[in-house]
Amino acid sequence: MALEIERKFLVINDKWKDFVVSEAVIKQGYLATTDHATVRVRVDGDEANINIKGRTVGISRREYEYPIPLEEAEELLDHLVSGAAIDKVRYKVRCGDHIWDLDLFHGANQGLVMAEVELSRVDERFVMPEWAGEEVSSDTRYYNANLVKHPFREW
């Protein structure tokens, strides 16, 4: 079983820019969203994958991810996703011993800047960056699958 353990935080300033390791344009959409699981397709640069995530319990959930051909991912995004796609630029940002994913959202979620750190254990320690603000790990409004249905700009 694959287990994803992550904590999410709102970003409160631009001090992260000095620690960027890489950046990528991401477009993703949801093929299915239920109370128990989501099925997502994502294009990340010239790579694509399909991802199945279970229900979040605390800061953990089951996650399975598989590469798929880019052309098929683009076709899925164009024809089979439910709701609008999520458009964002993802920056990999170093802080302490971890590389954080920091997302600048565009489109209907313009203005939202959020970062997450993946952990190997629920109780794993990490350095809290000075650019990270309120923790939103348990706030379902910030789940990407919910941002499709209730975009940030409409809050």
Side-chain angles (χ1 to χ4, degrees):
M1 170 182 67
L3 189 65
E4 175 186 61
I5 303 168
E6 68 182 11
R7 292 183 61 185
K8 296 182 179 196
F9 299 84
L10 297 179
V11 175
I12 57 173
N13 61 49
D14 289 343
K15 294 180 181 179
W16 56 270
K17 291 182 176 182
D18 293 333
F19 304 97
V20 171
V21 175
S22 67
E23 72 179 80
V25 174
I26 292 177
K27 184 173 185 176
Q28 67 187 42
Y30 290 84
L31 301 172
T33 303
T34 70
D35 290 340
H36 300 290
T38 60
V39 180
R40 175 189 80 199
V41 62
R42 173 185 281 172
V43 172
D44 182 347
D46 60 355
E47 296 181 1
N49 59 54
I50 194 158
N51 180 286
I52 302 146
K53 292 187 178 197
R55 179 189 344 218
T56 302
V57 178
I59 60 170
S60 304
R61 62 183 163 183
R62 292 182 176 151
E63 177 184 37
Y64 306 90
E65 187 170 83
Y66 307 97
I68 62 173
L70 180 62
E71 302 77 29
E72 290 180 17
E74 290 171 342
E75 188 173 315
L76 289 167
L77 285 168
D78 288 343
H79 301 290
L80 296 181
V81 298
S82 175
I86 297 280
D87 292 303
K88 59 188 176 181
V89 176
R90 171 163 286 173
Y91 295 89
K92 299 284 188 183
V93 181
R94 178 173 302 284
C95 181
D97 294 332
H98 292 86
I99 301 290
W100 290 58
D101 290 336
L102 188 144
D103 294 335
L104 269 68
F105 288 81
H106 298 286
N109 292 294
Q110 181 79 32
L112 178 59
V113 184
M114 192 166 43
E116 60 190 43
V117 59
E118 287 209 22
L119 306 171
S120 56
R121 298 181 330 273
V122 171
D123 63 348
E124 181 178 347
R125 293 179 174 262
F126 60 93
V127 174
M128 180 62 79
E130 63 181 310
W131 41 263
E134 177 185 359
E135 182 167 7
V136 294
S137 301
S138 299
D139 189 337
T140 59
R141 294 177 303 164
Y142 292 98
Y143 294 0
N144 281 268
N146 288 338
L147 289 171
V148 168
K149 298 178 224 171
H150 307 287
F152 180 72
R153 292 176 76 179
E154 295 176 7
W155 296 5

